[in-house]
Amino acid sequence: MKTHNLLIIIILSTFFFSCRSNQDQRKKYFSINIVNNQTKFKLGETIKASISNTQNIQIDSVAYVLDSKKIASKSNFDLEEKIDEEKLGKHILTAQVFYDGTIDTISKKITLLNNIAPKLFSYEIVATYPHDKNAFTQGLEFVGDTLYESTGKNGKSSLRKLDYKTGKILLQKKVPDAYFAEGITILNHKIYQLTWTSREGFIYDLSSLEKTGSFAYNKSKEGWGLCNDGTYIYKSDGTEKIWVLDSQTLAEKEYIEITTNKSVKSKFNELEWVDGKIYANTWQKDGIAIINPKNGALEAVINLSGLREKVSQHQELDVLNGIAYKEDTKQLFVTGKNWDKLFEIKIIKK
């Protein structure tokens, strides 16, 4: 009986390794050949590719796929695809090669970039208001004239309702010590608050700040910033991705990757929705990125250099972080972690 079982194992093993060997061998038959070995493409450029067929195998057809978008090949199995409406960032170009009743799938990594360099804006201070210097600001958002703030650090995290003109805390809820709170956004009379590495977010009633629920992260590992466009919620996680969340289930449906005309960028922190664009603090940078939410293009940067020097200097002073927009009056406010001032600023477009 043992001999019989051993024989079966040997036969199955031989079959498996034979199949594996055949698959590996077939991978040597084909590869995607992009003109000039180009791996980065800008909007408006055309990807030109062909199938390298080292064994001159009779190919029946080739189907190209850019992520989930199917692209028809030409009669000679070549590819010519203009980059126009695609999301920017890192992509996988895949080719399915059909021959002799067999399908081989091969792929190549490419990066899609914006075709315009980010514009550079400056600022001027319109007004200055008091802000709690003990607030490690992680999220900031207006509803009417009321400012809501999320503060971070384990043991010091909180959710606050503020009078922005006086800096007075109108209502505050402490976050359990085990959590390091991050960004917030407000939608449908609910406040959504992230935590940094606990892979969990909290839901609060807007009026009472009472916790009403929680939600788990899906594919993203961390929580950094949140904003919303009235329908969808956008979430940064420290990587190049900004996730698009279903506002009902909080599931991460898709993402954009933040990209300039030269490279893919990361470390976007607190987010704010401003007139159809995502405004984002970049961690440890004195500026705000203005991002196209449709394709991820980093369209402009507001240089806020010098603003940190205008607050009281102390040992706990930290980076710029916190963007709030009063949509009704078109006012833009910024602050930072442990800053004692909240600034209303005006963007100067050069």
Side-chain angles (χ1 to χ4, degrees), residues 116-146:
I116 302 173
K119 297 177 181 177
L120 184 61
F121 300 151
S122 60
Y123 72 99
E124 66 179 38
I125 298 173
V126 177
T128 303
Y129 302 96
H131 180 255
D132 180 9
K133 74 173 185 179
N134 295 312
F136 194 77
T137 305
Q138 299 289 70
L140 210 60
E141 191 162 327
F142 274 103
V143 174
D145 288 332
T146 303

Side-chain angles (χ1 to χ4, degrees), residues 138 150-153 157-158 175 179-183 193-196:
Q138 299 289 70
S150 173
T151 71
K153 290 194 172 181
S157 293
S158 69
V175 175
Y179 296 96
F180 191 122
E182 287 279 347
Q193 182 185 47
L194 296 174
T195 62
W196 181 21

Side-chain angles (χ1 to χ4, degrees), residues 65-321:
V65 179
L66 183 56
D67 291 332
S68 58
K69 178 184 176 182
K70 294 183 179 180
I71 308 169
S73 63
K74 299 173 70 175
S75 58
N76 60 351
F77 309 131
D78 288 353
L79 169 70
E80 286 192 15
E81 177 70 7
K82 185 177 180 180
I83 303 302
D84 45 24
E85 297 181 355
E86 285 79 7
K87 291 180 181 179
L88 304 180
K90 301 171 185 176
H91 293 261
I92 301 294
L93 176 63
T94 300
Q96 292 180 312
V97 183
F98 298 81
Y99 68 100
D100 194 26
T102 303
I103 305 173
D104 276 3
T105 301
I106 51 179
S107 61
K108 203 174 191 72
K109 295 179 181 179
I110 61 173
T111 303
L112 306 184
L113 303 173
N114 198 18
N115 57 348
I116 302 173
K119 297 177 181 177
L120 184 61
F121 300 151
S122 60
Y123 72 99
E124 66 179 38
I125 298 173
V126 177
T128 303
Y129 302 96
H131 180 255
D132 180 9
K133 74 173 185 179
N134 295 312
F136 194 77
T137 305
Q138 299 289 70
L140 210 60
E141 191 162 327
F142 274 103
V143 174
D145 288 332
T146 303
L147 183 62
Y148 294 81
E149 181 175 28
S150 173
T151 71
K153 290 194 172 181
N154 294 96
K156 295 183 179 181
S157 293
S158 69
L159 180 63
R160 303 175 175 190
K161 182 185 292 188
L162 307 171
D163 180 334
Y164 80 93
K165 292 182 179 179
T166 65
K168 181 181 178 181
I169 300 174
L170 304 176
L171 185 62
Q172 177 172 282
K173 292 294 180 181
K174 191 176 186 304
V175 175
D177 291 352
Y179 296 96
F180 191 122
E182 287 279 347
I184 58 169
T185 197
I186 302 168
L187 182 63
N188 299 328
H189 210 72
K190 297 177 182 178
I191 303 175
Y192 300 90
Q193 182 185 47
L194 296 174
T195 62
W196 181 21
T197 57
S198 300
R199 297 182 61 84
E200 183 180 6
F202 302 132
I203 305 171
Y204 303 87
D205 176 76
L206 178 63
S207 299
S208 66
L209 300 191
E210 291 296 329
K211 182 182 172 185
T212 60
S214 62
F215 59 95
Y217 302 168
N218 303 140
K219 296 179 181 179
S220 63
K221 294 182 179 180
E222 295 185 356
W224 286 43
L226 286 177
C227 70
N228 76 84
D229 64 2
T231 302
Y232 296 101
I233 293 174
Y234 298 82
K235 173 190 175 186
S236 61
D237 64 359
T239 70
E240 69 278 5
K241 296 180 176 66
I242 290 183
W243 297 86
V244 183
L245 278 58
D246 183 300
S247 61
Q248 298 300 316
T249 65
L250 282 303
E252 296 161 357
K253 308 296 290 185
E254 57 181 342
Y255 60 83
I256 55 174
E257 294 188 3
I258 314 311
T259 308
T260 67
N261 60 317
K262 293 183 178 180
S263 63
V264 179
K265 300 296 183 179
S266 62
K267 296 186 178 179
F268 294 97
N269 206 353
E270 213 270 320
L271 307 180
E272 185 76 4
W273 186 268
V274 181
D275 295 336
K277 304 292 183 181
I278 296 174
Y279 281 37
N281 286 127
T282 305
W283 187 50
Q284 295 186 328
K285 300 289 185 181
D286 291 326
I288 294 174
I290 300 178
I291 298 163
N292 185 329
K294 294 181 179 180
N295 64 2
L298 202 166
E299 297 181 340
V301 174
I302 308 169
N303 183 358
L304 295 179
S305 296
L307 198 59
R308 180 172 172 173
E309 283 68 40
K310 298 183 184 300
V311 304
S312 297
Q313 306 297 299
H314 59 94
Q315 189 173 358
E316 300 299 319
L317 187 67
D318 212 312
V319 297
L320 174 80
N321 198 52

